Amino acid sequence: MLGTGLGQLASEITDKLEIPYGEIPNFPVSTVEGHAGALIFGKLGGVDIMAMQGRFHYYEGYSMKEVTFPVRVMYELGIKTLFVSNAAGGMNPAFKIGDLMVITDHINFFPEHPLRGKNFPTGPRFPDMHEAYDHELINLATKIAKEKNIRLVYGVYIGTTGPTFETPAEYKMYRTLGGDTVGMSTVPEVIVAHHCGIKTFGISVVTDLGGFDNPVEVSHEEVQEAADKAQPLMTEIMREMIKRTA
């Protein structure tokens, strides 16, 4: 699941069949710049994969069921492992713009829960969330990054509604609550994937920094630019992880 500025990872996919979201029954359509809006079947690292080039966001006006519908489709197609990426604002003073942060946990600030309503039989009514991000996959990413001399950082991702970027006070609040990065996606999809028994690995590209003494204005264009620069390193890690988990 490829987020803002990270859709070019799709260029690494070979033997691909590309289906625009608009041609798939019941699929929403991505309206955000940087999200191409296509479902791709093919190979990455020699392994058969399904990739979402662009995702759907709650702030676009979609319900949580619409946002997470593609994950339900993945489950029905037999997907066992989900790799999800996003662009995020960094609040940890040790982070730098362009860092790749492996998500170890998340805090859900969305006003609507993706599992609200009738329980799907893919999982229990009250799913345990102690390991929403698979420890074995995190360890594998760490090993690969060391082999390739790629800097990784680790932390907690806070998922918020958007579409505004955070105020300086909000950045400080989220940091105080235990967050290392903050963004507008990922959490709903990961919750539904976990409910379906799909193992998940998440990674944030730190595209801007906030919550420090000197506030810095941020634009969507700057976020995309930072994500594009970090993309080759993320692609290298993802490709190798997929190859080794096949």
Side-chain angles (χ1 to χ4, degrees):
M1 192 171 289
L2 310 175
T4 299
L6 305 174
Q8 290 180 32
L9 180 66
S11 65
E12 296 276 327
I13 301 172
T14 60
D15 305 316
K16 60 185 176 184
L17 169 66
E18 195 166 325
I19 308 173
Y21 291 154
E23 296 181 8
I24 304 173
N26 299 313
F27 246 62
V29 177
S30 182
T31 64
V32 184
E33 184 180 348
H35 290 254
L39 199 61
I40 302 171
F41 296 86
K43 292 182 180 292
L44 185 64
V47 179
D48 290 327
I49 67 160
M50 165 185 170
M52 286 185 66
Q53 192 175 18
R55 58 151 62 86
F56 315 117
H57 303 82
Y58 188 68
Y59 65 73
E60 293 177 83
Y62 295 120
S63 70
M64 278 299 176
K65 283 185 170 52
E66 289 174 312
V67 169
T68 58
F69 179 70
V71 180
R72 298 291 184 190
V73 173
M74 290 176 185
Y75 170 78
E76 295 296 337
L77 291 173
I79 299 296
K80 302 297 183 186
T81 308
L82 173 66
F83 295 86
V84 58
S85 65
N86 60 53
M91 302 172 289
N92 187 322
F95 290 179
K96 300 180 295 185
I97 290 178
D99 271 345
L100 299 178
M101 188 197 84
V102 173
I103 304 174
T104 57
D105 204 348
H106 71 231
I107 299 174
N108 183 11
F109 261 88
F110 285 93
E112 181 186 348
H113 198 283
L115 298 183
R116 178 178 177 269
K118 183 180 178 180
N119 186 49
F120 281 81
T122 58
R125 170 77 279 186
F126 304 105
D128 179 86
M129 295 296 292
H130 273 88
E131 194 179 335
Y133 301 85
D134 188 78
H135 293 171
E136 289 185 4
L137 293 175
I138 291 172
N139 291 338
L140 178 59
T142 301
K143 180 181 179 182
I144 292 169
K146 286 180 179 178
E147 290 173 0
K148 297 182 177 294
N149 199 28
I150 296 173
R151 169 182 161 91
L152 287 182
V153 294
Y154 304 81
V156 175
Y157 176 86
I158 291 186
T160 66
T161 302
T164 52
F165 291 110
E166 288 66 36
T167 67
E170 287 170 339
Y171 270 125
K172 290 179 180 178
M173 176 189 72
Y174 292 142
R175 178 63 180 159
T176 299
L177 291 173
D180 295 285
T181 58
V182 58
M184 309 170 194
S185 65
T186 302
V187 170
E189 300 101 304
V190 169
I191 289 173
V192 171
H194 192 68
H195 186 255
C196 290
I198 297 173
K199 291 184 177 181
T200 304
F201 173 79
I203 193 163
S204 292
V205 179
V206 179
T207 53
D208 59 281
L209 299 171
F212 309 123
D213 292 334
N214 297 316
V216 179
E217 290 187 10
V218 61
S219 69
H220 183 65
E221 290 73 24
E222 290 171 325
V223 167
Q224 282 192 282
E225 184 180 351
D228 286 341
K229 289 180 180 178
Q231 178 182 277
L233 299 178
M234 190 204 71
T235 301
E236 196 165 352
I237 291 173
M238 290 282 201
R239 185 198 307 114
E240 194 62 28
M241 286 187 73
I242 290 169
K243 186 188 298 183
R244 298 190 194 185
T245 54

